[in-house]
Amino acid sequence: MTDRELPSSQAVHVPRYAFEAMAACTALDEDKVAVMLLLLVRMDRNRSVRIDTSLLPDFLTLSSERVERAISSLIKNGWVDSVDEDEMRHRVLDCVVHSAFIHADFDTLMRIVNTRLTAVDVH
């Protein structure tokens, strides 16, 4: 699941505040935060990420149902968009991370993240 070496041309700078915002949300929905953190470290310079979701349950030590629920929540709440539905049917999440995770300050990101957290997301 992990890349041994990531070419520097593919490295993406994710601001520290994005990880701080995720840490602040952990108690509300730790599964969604775990998946989002993985997406943040796997995205390319265009905020695109493609990941085989069949590998996530073992990698994150979560049940398949919890991973599926977390991914659905990320999509529903707009933390990722431009999701390729055809790829999803093949258990591949091909999407774009919301620009606020890269191009907003901490307070703005927290407002976006918090408005996208609902009682339905908490389990």
Side-chain angles (χ1 to χ4, degrees), residues 29-114:
D29 192 339
E30 62 189 14
D31 296 347
K32 181 166 59 173
V33 169
V35 174
M36 190 65 201
L37 287 172
L38 185 58
L39 296 181
L40 286 173
V41 299
R42 304 273 304 183
M43 70 181 172
D44 67 16
R45 292 187 180 274
N46 298 318
R47 300 185 336 271
S48 298
V49 64
R50 180 180 168 88
I51 195 163
D52 183 343
T53 62
S54 67
L55 302 175
L56 296 182
D58 287 337
F59 184 74
L60 298 172
T61 62
L62 297 172
S63 69
S64 294
E65 294 80 21
R66 287 176 63 179
V67 169
E68 290 172 18
R69 193 168 41 243
I71 291 171
S72 293
S73 183
L74 290 173
I75 295 167
K76 181 182 89 178
N77 291 304
W79 291 17
V80 297
D81 49 38
S82 302
V83 177
D84 185 325
E85 297 296 328
D86 187 50
E87 290 291 330
M88 283 296 292
R89 284 188 278 283
H90 295 96
R91 300 192 67 177
V92 173
L93 177 59
D94 189 355
C95 62
V96 176
V97 172
H98 190 289
S99 63
F101 286 92
I102 305 300
H103 303 295
D105 59 41
F106 177 80
D107 292 333
T108 302
L109 177 57
M110 284 305 294
R111 280 193 300 277
I112 290 168
V113 168
N114 285 331

